[in-house]
Amino acid sequence: MAVADGDTITVLDDLKQQHKIRLMGIDAPEKKQAYGQRSKDSLSELVYMKYVDVTWSKHDRYGRIVGHVKLEGADICLEQIKRGMAWHYKQYQREQVEGDRSLYGASESAARELKVGLWHDETPIEPSSFRRYIFSN
């Protein structure tokens, strides 16, 4: 398994085929953004060289599988939010089941309130805003 950043991993299936997985429901800081490396390190700590379960139903515009990643029943996407290493990706929340949508939102609010991880910064910049700025310049 490889970890590209705080919301993207590459896994091997039982046939040793690689699949790039974009973690569903979260948006982590970009590599060149504040907390980008910390978010990647957090995800690595959670899943690197471990067996994960991926539930998915679509590919994104880059061909990655958008998946709900679990390790021994623990929701890895949610864990990144709780650690303050990702935002709840509200732009795509309609694709989540209601329970996840509520839990992810509440977990982001709790991390913000406790100033965990990226919420320690005064004005963290959402990755989607950062990407728009970078690609427009």
Side-chain angles (χ1 to χ4, degrees):
M1 172 178 307
V3 177
D5 56 30
D7 57 25
T8 308
I9 61 176
T10 300
V11 298
L12 291 176
D13 65 17
D14 293 337
L15 301 174
K16 306 292 186 215
Q17 293 181 351
Q18 289 187 354
H19 303 277
K20 192 168 271 198
I21 312 296
R22 172 66 165 78
L23 276 66
M24 180 180 212
I26 71 171
D27 199 14
E30 298 296 327
K31 291 178 190 176
K32 295 182 179 183
Q33 192 176 355
Y35 286 90
Q37 185 61 47
R38 290 183 193 175
S39 181
K40 177 184 177 181
D41 292 345
S42 173
L43 186 56
S44 291
E45 178 186 311
L46 290 166
V47 301
Y48 185 69
M49 298 300 290
K50 298 176 183 171
Y51 291 95
V52 297
D53 292 313
V54 179
T55 306
W56 66 280
S57 62
K58 75 172 213 172
H59 288 84
D60 67 9
R61 64 182 175 186
Y62 304 106
R64 300 174 298 188
I65 293 170
V66 178
H68 195 185
V69 178
K70 290 193 174 186
L71 174 68
E72 298 176 1
D75 183 339
I76 299 303
C77 308
L78 178 62
E79 187 60 31
Q80 281 288 85
I81 293 172
K82 287 180 175 180
R83 290 179 171 203
M85 293 297 141
W87 277 257
H88 175 214
Y89 209 170
K90 293 171 186 72
Q91 180 178 343
Y92 295 99
Q93 67 183 340
R94 290 182 316 277
E95 298 175 8
Q96 293 179 286
V97 297
E98 174 57 37
D100 285 348
R101 192 169 37 239
S102 298
L103 188 55
Y104 283 33
S107 295
E108 180 185 306
S109 294
R112 281 177 186 253
E113 187 174 314
L114 295 171
K115 298 191 180 300
V116 176
L118 63 90
W119 304 113
H120 184 72
D121 280 0
E122 290 288 321
T123 55
I125 299 170
E126 288 190 57
S128 57
S129 296
F130 182 82
R131 287 187 294 268
R132 275 194 302 275
Y133 174 76
I134 293 298
F135 294 127
S136 69
N137 289 324

Coordinates of all heavy atoms in Angstrom, one line a residue, residues 7-11 19-23 54 56 64-69:
D7 N -5.7 12.1 1.7 CA -7.0 11.5 1.3 C -6.9 10.6 0.1 O -7.9 10.3 -0.5 CB -8.0 12.6 1.1 CG -7.6 13.6 0.1 OD1 -6.8 13.3 -0.8 OD2 -8.2 14.7 0.1
T8 N -5.7 10.1 -0.2 CA -5.5 9.2 -1.4 C -4.5 8.1 -1.0 O -3.4 8.4 -0.6 CB -5.0 10.0 -2.6 OG1 -5.9 11.1 -2.8 CG2 -5.0 9.1 -3.8
I9 N -4.9 6.9 -1.3 CA -4.0 5.7 -1.1 C -4.1 4.8 -2.3 O -5.0 4.9 -3.1 CB -4.4 4.9 0.2 CG1 -5.9 4.3 0.0 CG2 -4.3 5.7 1.4 CD1 -6.3 3.4 1.2
T10 N -3.1 4.0 -2.4 CA -3.1 3.0 -3.5 C -3.0 1.6 -2.8 O -2.2 1.4 -1.9 CB -1.9 3.1 -4.4 OG1 -1.9 4.4 -5.0 CG2 -1.9 2.0 -5.5
V11 N -4.0 0.7 -3.1 CA -4.1 -0.6 -2.5 C -3.9 -1.7 -3.5 O -4.1 -1.4 -4.7 CB -5.4 -0.8 -1.8 CG1 -5.6 0.2 -0.7 CG2 -6.6 -0.7 -2.8
H19 N -5.0 -0.3 -7.1 CA -6.2 0.6 -7.3 C -5.9 1.9 -6.5 O -5.6 1.8 -5.3 CB -7.4 -0.1 -6.7 CG -7.7 -1.4 -7.4 ND1 -8.4 -1.5 -8.6 CD2 -7.4 -2.6 -7.1 CE1 -8.5 -2.7 -9.0 NE2 -7.9 -3.5 -8.0
K20 N -6.1 3.0 -7.1 CA -5.9 4.3 -6.4 C -7.3 4.6 -5.8 O -8.3 4.7 -6.5 CB -5.5 5.4 -7.4 CG -5.0 6.6 -6.6 CD -4.3 7.6 -7.5 CE -2.8 7.2 -7.5 NZ -1.9 8.3 -8.0
I21 N -7.3 4.9 -4.5 CA -8.5 5.2 -3.8 C -8.5 6.6 -3.2 O -7.6 7.0 -2.5 CB -8.6 4.2 -2.5 CG1 -8.4 2.8 -2.9 CG2 -10.0 4.4 -1.8 CD1 -9.4 2.2 -3.9
R22 N -9.5 7.3 -3.6 CA -9.7 8.7 -3.0 C -10.7 8.5 -1.9 O -11.8 8.0 -2.1 CB -10.3 9.6 -4.1 CG -10.8 11.0 -3.6 CD -9.6 11.8 -3.2 NE -9.9 13.2 -3.0 CZ -10.6 13.7 -2.0 NH1 -11.0 13.0 -1.1 NH2 -10.7 15.0 -2.0
L23 N -10.3 8.8 -0.6 CA -11.1 8.6 0.5 C -12.4 9.4 0.5 O -12.4 10.6 0.3 CB -10.4 8.9 1.8 CG -9.5 7.8 2.4 CD1 -8.4 7.5 1.4 CD2 -9.0 8.1 3.8
V54 N -12.4 -1.6 1.4 CA -12.9 -0.4 0.6 C -14.3 -0.7 0.0 O -14.4 -1.7 -0.7 CB -11.9 0.0 -0.5 CG1 -12.4 1.2 -1.3 CG2 -10.5 0.2 0.0
W56 N -17.1 1.0 -2.3 CA -17.2 2.1 -3.3 C -18.3 1.9 -4.3 O -18.8 0.8 -4.5 CB -15.8 2.3 -4.0 CG -15.4 1.1 -4.9 CD1 -14.9 -0.1 -4.5 CD2 -15.6 1.0 -6.3 NE1 -14.7 -0.9 -5.6 CE2 -15.1 -0.2 -6.7 CE3 -16.0 1.9 -7.3 CZ2 -15.1 -0.6 -8.0 CZ3 -16.0 1.5 -8.6 CH2 -15.6 0.3 -8.9
R64 N -9.8 7.8 -10.2 CA -9.6 7.1 -8.9 C -10.9 6.6 -8.4 O -12.0 7.1 -8.6 CB -9.1 8.1 -7.8 CG -7.7 8.7 -8.2 CD -7.3 9.8 -7.2 NE -8.3 10.9 -7.2 CZ -8.1 12.0 -6.6 NH1 -7.0 12.3 -5.9 NH2 -9.0 13.0 -6.7
I65 N -10.9 5.5 -7.6 CA -12.0 4.9 -6.9 C -12.3 5.8 -5.8 O -11.4 6.2 -5.0 CB -11.8 3.5 -6.5 CG1 -11.7 2.6 -7.7 CG2 -12.9 3.0 -5.5 CD1 -11.2 1.2 -7.3
V66 N -13.5 6.3 -5.6 CA -13.9 7.1 -4.4 C -14.5 6.0 -3.4 O -15.5 5.4 -3.7 CB -15.0 8.1 -4.8 CG1 -15.4 8.9 -3.5 CG2 -14.4 9.1 -5.8
G67 N -13.8 5.8 -2.3 CA -14.2 4.7 -1.4 C -14.2 5.1 0.0 O -13.5 6.0 0.5
H68 N -15.0 4.4 0.7 CA -15.1 4.4 2.2 C -14.2 3.4 2.7 O -14.3 2.2 2.4 CB -16.6 4.1 2.6 CG -16.9 4.4 4.0 ND1 -18.1 4.1 4.5 CD2 -16.2 5.1 4.9 CE1 -18.1 4.6 5.8 NE2 -17.0 5.1 6.0
V69 N -13.1 3.8 3.4 CA -12.0 2.9 3.8 C -12.1 2.6 5.3 O -12.3 3.5 6.1 CB -10.6 3.6 3.5 CG1 -9.5 2.7 4.0 CG2 -10.5 3.9 2.0

